[in-house]
Structure formats: C-alpha cells, structure tokens
Amino acid sequence: MDASASLGMVLGLATAFAIGLFMVPRRYFRGNTITFLVGMTFGAMAGNGAYWFLAGMPFSMRPMALFSLVPGINWAVGTFAYAHGTHRVGLAKATGIKNTQVLVATTGAFIFFGEAETTRPTLAFLGSALVVATAFILSRIRHRDEVLPHAGLGGYLIPIIASLLYGLNGLMMTVLIGADIPRAQINLGIGTGAFIGGVAVYLLAERRLDFVRAATFSQHGLAVLGGLVWSLALVTMVLAIDFAGLAVAWSLMNLSIVVSVLYGVVLFREVDLTLRWKQVAAGLLVASMGVLALYLSKAIPAPV
C-alpha cells in the first residue's frame, strides 16, 4: 500500500471517530429535532467556512463548484432523519441503521468510478458487508425502555432515509473531487448548502423562521457544537476519499457505529451492558474484522 492510501485510511478512521460523536449533542438537547437541525447546520457552515479561510480561501468560478451546495442540502435532510432516529431509538441504534449507507457508496465506487483498478473489490465488499453486519448486530440490542421512552417503528425506519441520502453524498463528493474543485471550497460549499437545507426544512415544517427564539442560547450552542464536530469530519472525509478512494474511505467512516455504541452504552446507558455485553462485544469484533478487510483491499495489489 502506498503512503497516500495509508494516509487515506488513517483519515477515514479519524472521520469515523468524529462522525460517531457529532450527533451526541442531540441526546442532551431539550427541544425539537428541527430546531436542533438549524443550529447544527449553522455550526457545519461556520466550521467549514473557517477551514476554507485558513486554507487560503481558494475559489473556483466553474459551474461545477456551485454543485457543492447540493450534497450540503442533501446532508441537511439526511441529518434531520438521523437526528429524529437518535431521539426516538437512541444514538447507538440510529447510527447502526444509518450506517448501512456503505452499500450505496461502495457499489457506486466500483460502478461509476472504476475503483476496481486500485482496490480489490472482493475484500472491499467483504469489509462493507462486515460494517453492515456490525450495524445489524448492534441495532438489534434491546435498549432500556426507561431511557428511550419515545422508541417506536418510526425511529427505526426514518434513519433509513439518512442512509440513502448519506450514501448518495459520497458519490457526489467523489464527482467534485474528480472535477478538481479546490478541496477547501468543496467543504465551504457543502457547509453552506447544509445551512440552506436546514433553514429550508424548518420553514417547510414550521411555516415560519423563528428558530432563534425556539431554544435557549445554551441549547443552540449544543446544536452548533455538533455541527462543528461534523465540519471537522468533513475535512478528513474529503481528504480520505481523495487519498484512499470512495469504497474504502466511506466504509471506514461507517465504523462510527463503534464510537456511537460505546458512547450510547457507557455514558447514556441506552443498553444494560451487564445483560447485553455479548452482543456488544460481537458487534465490535465484527467491526474490527471489517477494518482488516478494508485494509487488505488496499494493501494487496489489485489484479491487473
């Protein structure tokens, strides 16, 4: 494996860590999901704007650069679904369901972007399948009813929307990278599009734009914090896709389920670990096997 691909894998794991934490503030937020969304997307715009500024404010006037707003808007809608699931069935389970997005991104990587030339498809799909299996194992763990009183069918189904939209985002970001749009400008466009999408979702749902008054300053701060963490994840995500390819980078990112489960189980006590430790351990073991398979998909030279 060359140095670039190795760095891409490290960045993919860093992305997984940040992605596993960015929705944590939703479990502390005392307000509705749609108000939280606006604060989070504002944080995403601010964080990515800061990165663009620090990177020297690169700017391309090509029409494709404007397309970077689209994955941002798409992310806002997906994040609303993810946040709703987090509120209803907990951080651990909602993340598990959302992370099945890896199938969309990995399949697209081989069909549309020819990544079979640099990645072993069998091992990449095996790694992706193991990540999905991790999500399946962990999402089936019975939660504490007293900790998640809002659990219901909608909490399990709505994160599937996030899965599809997030997977589509991986394909769109790969298109932007391939078009040689400055990386920092891609982040700026996605962050700005996210805030536009967050405000649009609020307006469509509430028929008004009073989101500033809908929560206290400290509560808005929690939502903004989540967006800032996500903006950090987006920086490493774009670089990971660039260095390691979409199939591997996106699969590694979905190991965020490990971070979310540990946080949800240990700190939120969403699951009784004394009773369910075998399922948690099995999920983490399968996740580790997925990382190994993805590593080998890049470490072993692709067939000529």
Side-chain angles (χ1 to χ4, degrees):
M1 183 189 297
D2 61 29
S4 179
S6 298
L7 178 59
M9 291 199 66
V10 171
L11 290 167
L13 290 172
T15 302
F17 184 78
I19 290 291
L21 294 177
F22 90 93
M23 194 56 73
V24 167
R26 178 64 187 97
R27 294 283 278 116
Y28 295 103
F29 187 80
R30 294 189 297 274
N32 62 25
T33 298
I34 203 163
T35 301
F36 176 82
L37 176 70
V38 177
M40 173 170 277
T41 54
F42 176 79
M45 180 177 68
N48 284 292
Y51 170 63
W52 176 72
F53 177 79
L54 293 172
M57 296 184 289
F59 196 79
S60 170
M61 295 293 291
R62 286 181 291 151
M64 179 57 74
L66 189 62
F67 179 69
S68 63
L69 294 172
V70 177
I73 296 170
N74 186 59
W75 178 81
V77 178
T79 299
F80 176 64
Y82 179 26
H84 175 82
T86 299
H87 176 62
R88 294 289 296 276
V89 298
L91 178 68
K93 290 191 174 186
T95 303
I97 297 167
K98 178 266 297 182
N99 277 13
T100 55
Q101 61 177 295
V102 66
L103 290 177
V104 178
T106 302
T107 302
F110 289 110
I111 294 176
F112 300 113
F113 303 117
E115 291 192 7
E117 296 178 4
T118 57
T119 306
R120 284 201 170 251
T122 302
L123 287 170
F125 276 109
L126 175 60
S128 299
L130 289 170
V131 171
V132 172
T134 300
F136 180 77
I137 292 168
L138 295 176
S139 64
R140 286 182 60 84
I141 300 174
R142 181 171 178 80
H143 57 260
R144 293 175 182 264
D145 293 335
E146 66 274 18
V147 176
L148 297 168
H150 307 291
L153 183 61
Y156 289 95
L157 296 179
I158 291 179
I160 294 175
I161 298 172
S163 172
L164 296 173
L165 295 179
Y166 283 170
L168 181 61
N169 259 17
L171 304 180
M172 288 192 283
M173 281 191 275
T174 304
V175 170
L176 288 166
I177 291 170
D180 204 28
I181 304 300
R183 305 298 180 260
Q185 187 177 351
I186 293 174
N187 286 73
L188 175 67
I190 293 174
T192 303
F195 184 59
I196 293 171
V199 172
V201 170
Y202 189 96
L203 179 61
L204 289 172
E206 301 292 331
R207 305 296 181 184
R208 57 185 186 275
L209 287 174
D210 60 344
F211 48 82
V212 174
R213 294 181 296 172
T216 64
F217 179 80
S218 61
Q219 292 298 300
H220 280 308
L222 279 173
V224 171
L225 176 62
L228 290 172
V229 173
W230 181 79
S231 68
L232 174 63
L234 184 63
V235 172
T236 56
M237 185 190 308
V238 171
L239 294 173
I241 293 173
D242 194 12
F243 293 147
L246 177 62
V248 169
W250 212 257
S251 297
L252 287 170
M253 182 197 73
N254 283 280
L255 288 170
S256 59
I257 180 63
V258 176
V259 180
S260 296
V261 165
L262 291 177
Y263 200 104
V265 170
V266 176
L267 295 180
F268 287 144
R269 298 181 64 82
E270 294 173 352
V271 172
D272 187 341
L273 192 57
T274 59
L275 296 176
R276 314 293 177 188
W277 70 269
K278 289 183 180 180
Q279 287 173 278
V280 173
L284 298 181
L285 175 61
V286 172
S288 299
M289 293 168 61
V291 173
L292 177 61
L294 292 167
Y295 169 78
L296 292 175
S297 74
K298 278 293 185 181
I300 299 175
V304 179

Short mmCIF file of all heavy atoms in Angstrom, two decimals, residues 6 45 99 110 142 151 184 195 223 258 263:
data_model
loop_
_atom_site.label_atom_id
_atom_site.label_comp_id
_atom_site.label_asym_id
_atom_site.label_seq_id
_atom_site.Cartn_x
_atom_site.Cartn_y
_atom_site.Cartn_z
N SER A 6 -2.36 4.79 2.61
CA SER A 6 -2.25 4.60 4.06
C SER A 6 -2.78 5.81 4.80
O SER A 6 -3.52 5.70 5.79
CB SER A 6 -0.79 4.34 4.45
OG SER A 6 -0.32 3.16 3.86
N MET A 45 -21.71 25.06 8.72
CA MET A 45 -21.30 26.14 7.81
C MET A 45 -20.15 26.94 8.41
O MET A 45 -19.17 27.26 7.73
CB MET A 45 -22.48 27.06 7.52
CG MET A 45 -22.15 28.22 6.58
SD MET A 45 -23.57 29.25 6.16
CE MET A 45 -23.90 30.02 7.76
N ASN A 99 -25.78 3.73 9.14
CA ASN A 99 -24.51 3.34 8.55
C ASN A 99 -24.60 2.28 7.47
O ASN A 99 -23.59 1.90 6.87
CB ASN A 99 -23.55 2.86 9.65
CG ASN A 99 -22.85 4.03 10.31
OD1 ASN A 99 -23.24 5.18 10.13
ND2 ASN A 99 -21.83 3.74 11.09
N PHE A 110 -17.45 1.35 -7.47
CA PHE A 110 -16.99 0.40 -8.47
C PHE A 110 -17.73 0.56 -9.80
O PHE A 110 -17.14 0.38 -10.87
CB PHE A 110 -17.12 -1.02 -7.94
CG PHE A 110 -16.13 -1.34 -6.86
CD1 PHE A 110 -16.54 -1.52 -5.56
CD2 PHE A 110 -14.78 -1.44 -7.14
CE1 PHE A 110 -15.64 -1.81 -4.55
CE2 PHE A 110 -13.85 -1.73 -6.15
CZ PHE A 110 -14.29 -1.90 -4.84
N ARG A 142 -31.44 -4.92 22.68
CA ARG A 142 -32.59 -4.31 23.34
C ARG A 142 -32.14 -3.14 24.22
O ARG A 142 -31.22 -3.24 25.01
CB ARG A 142 -33.32 -5.34 24.20
CG ARG A 142 -34.56 -4.76 24.89
CD ARG A 142 -35.40 -5.82 25.56
NE ARG A 142 -36.52 -5.22 26.25
CZ ARG A 142 -37.65 -4.81 25.68
NH1 ARG A 142 -37.79 -4.96 24.38
NH2 ARG A 142 -38.61 -4.27 26.38
N ALA A 151 -39.27 5.36 21.85
CA ALA A 151 -38.94 4.35 20.84
C ALA A 151 -40.20 3.85 20.14
O ALA A 151 -41.24 3.66 20.75
CB ALA A 151 -38.21 3.18 21.49
N ALA A 184 -10.86 22.71 -0.11
CA ALA A 184 -11.44 23.59 0.91
C ALA A 184 -12.72 24.25 0.41
O ALA A 184 -13.65 24.50 1.19
CB ALA A 184 -10.43 24.65 1.33
N PHE A 195 -26.57 24.55 5.70
CA PHE A 195 -27.35 25.57 6.43
C PHE A 195 -28.57 25.99 5.62
O PHE A 195 -29.67 26.15 6.17
CB PHE A 195 -26.48 26.78 6.74
CG PHE A 195 -27.19 27.82 7.57
CD1 PHE A 195 -27.70 27.51 8.83
CD2 PHE A 195 -27.36 29.11 7.09
CE1 PHE A 195 -28.36 28.47 9.60
CE2 PHE A 195 -28.00 30.07 7.85
CZ PHE A 195 -28.51 29.75 9.10
N ALA A 223 -26.30 22.43 19.69
CA ALA A 223 -26.52 22.07 18.29
C ALA A 223 -25.36 22.54 17.42
O ALA A 223 -24.88 21.80 16.54
CB ALA A 223 -27.84 22.67 17.80
N VAL A 258 -19.04 2.14 16.08
CA VAL A 258 -18.31 1.69 17.27
C VAL A 258 -18.26 2.81 18.30
O VAL A 258 -18.53 2.61 19.49
CB VAL A 258 -16.90 1.23 16.90
CG1 VAL A 258 -16.11 0.86 18.15
CG2 VAL A 258 -16.95 0.05 15.93
N TYR A 263 -20.40 5.20 23.28
CA TYR A 263 -20.90 6.39 23.95
C TYR A 263 -22.33 6.16 24.45
O TYR A 263 -22.67 6.47 25.60
CB TYR A 263 -20.88 7.59 23.00
CG TYR A 263 -20.90 8.93 23.73
CD1 TYR A 263 -19.74 9.68 23.84
CD2 TYR A 263 -22.07 9.42 24.30
CE1 TYR A 263 -19.75 10.90 24.51
CE2 TYR A 263 -22.08 10.63 24.98
CZ TYR A 263 -20.92 11.37 25.07
OH TYR A 263 -20.93 12.57 25.75
#
